[in-house]
Amino acid sequence: MKRQGRLVRWEAERGFGFIRSPDVSADVFVHLRDFSDRQLKPQVGMELSFEEIHVGGKGPRAVAVQATSAGASRAPPPNRAPIGSNRRPAPRAPLAPTRRASAPESPASWGVLFILAYGVLLGAAVWSGRLSPLALGVVPALSLLTFCAYALDKNAAQTGRWRTKENTLHLFALTGGWPGAWAAQRLLRHKSSKQSFLTVYRVTVAVHCAAVLAWVFWLAGAWPALWR
């Protein structure tokens, strides 16, 4: 049933107000989207017709609201270029280039080559008798163990559980699991952007490789002589 009333309050910023009608005991709530004419600009004192509803046990609400007073103001339509005009839209400002997530400084290809060179060194040392053949099984096992440690630490970080200490991860790398750590940093994207961690990791790799080189080219040959 259509009712008549007058807009007695309007919150323009929030898009709602209240209508006072002699047919309704309480002021009627109205929202901007309840107006049939979306271009209409509600103003206090405007005469309106509406339908009254009740939703969820709340007070009365107006829907299908229409202005009955003459001269109701409407919002101006958006400016559009006339059809056939040669006016072109203003060019958009260029978007700022997005920065990619920080990645390790050294390319992955260099890491692969370094691991291959390390494997060749171990193979040559075993072939020449300066390393035990067990090294060819121990080193991959240490790398797999280190990779699993990285995976568990990342999962703990995501689920809020107890983390693996960074010193423990560095110890795995120092003892020979650094290829597995390198693979985890790239495949799992874990510990791959913290520069302080990467600096210590590179030191552990350098120390481990230096120790292997020293054993293969000097200590392995000098060790028997120490017991003569």
Side-chain angles (χ1 to χ4, degrees):
M1 178 180 178
K2 281 287 186 179
R3 301 186 183 279
Q4 302 291 327
R6 180 169 54 88
L7 190 64
V8 295
R9 178 185 170 188
W10 182 252
E11 300 285 345
E13 295 181 355
R14 305 174 66 181
F16 72 88
F18 291 91
I19 302 172
R20 186 164 298 169
S21 172
D23 301 326
V24 185
S25 58
D27 289 345
V28 183
F29 176 84
V30 60
H31 195 273
L32 183 62
R33 62 173 174 266
D34 296 321
F35 283 83
S36 299
D37 186 357
R38 296 299 178 87
Q39 300 297 328
L40 186 68
K41 293 179 61 176
Q43 296 178 356
V44 174
M46 180 182 294
E47 298 294 332
L48 303 171
S49 65
F50 61 93
E51 294 183 6
E52 178 189 356
I53 63 171
H54 293 263
V55 180
K58 299 181 180 179
R61 177 169 181 167
V63 296
V65 183
Q66 296 178 345
T68 58
S69 58
S73 60
R74 287 176 170 80
N79 294 329
R80 296 181 179 178
I83 298 176
S85 65
N86 294 327
R87 182 180 179 182
R88 297 182 178 179
R92 295 182 180 180
L95 298 177
T98 56
R99 297 182 62 182
R100 297 182 62 184
S102 58
E105 296 177 0
S106 57
S109 58
W110 286 104
V112 173
L113 293 176
F114 193 75
I115 293 175
L116 291 176
Y118 178 72
V120 170
L121 172 64
L122 293 180
V126 171
W127 181 77
S128 63
R130 293 177 177 269
L131 277 180
S132 170
L134 291 176
L136 299 180
V138 172
V139 171
L142 287 173
S143 292
L144 180 60
L145 180 62
T146 306
F147 187 93
C148 293
Y150 271 74
L152 291 174
D153 186 56
K154 180 174 183 177
N155 181 262
Q158 294 173 339
T159 57
R161 293 185 291 107
W162 191 264
R163 300 284 302 277
T164 303
K165 293 183 178 180
E166 290 186 351
N167 289 339
T168 302
L169 298 178
H170 289 316
L171 182 61
F172 283 138
L174 181 62
T175 55
W178 64 267
W182 178 88
Q185 290 171 12
R186 280 148 185 83
L187 297 178
L188 303 179
R189 294 297 178 186
H190 186 53
K191 299 294 185 181
S192 59
S193 59
K194 187 176 180 181
Q195 292 301 320
S196 59
F197 180 89
L198 293 176
T199 299
V200 178
Y201 165 73
R202 292 170 184 137
V203 171
T204 61
V205 174
V207 171
H208 173 83
C209 292
V212 172
L213 289 172
W215 174 263
V216 170
F217 292 102
W218 181 62
L219 292 178
W223 183 263
L226 296 177
W227 293 94
R228 293 176 184 174

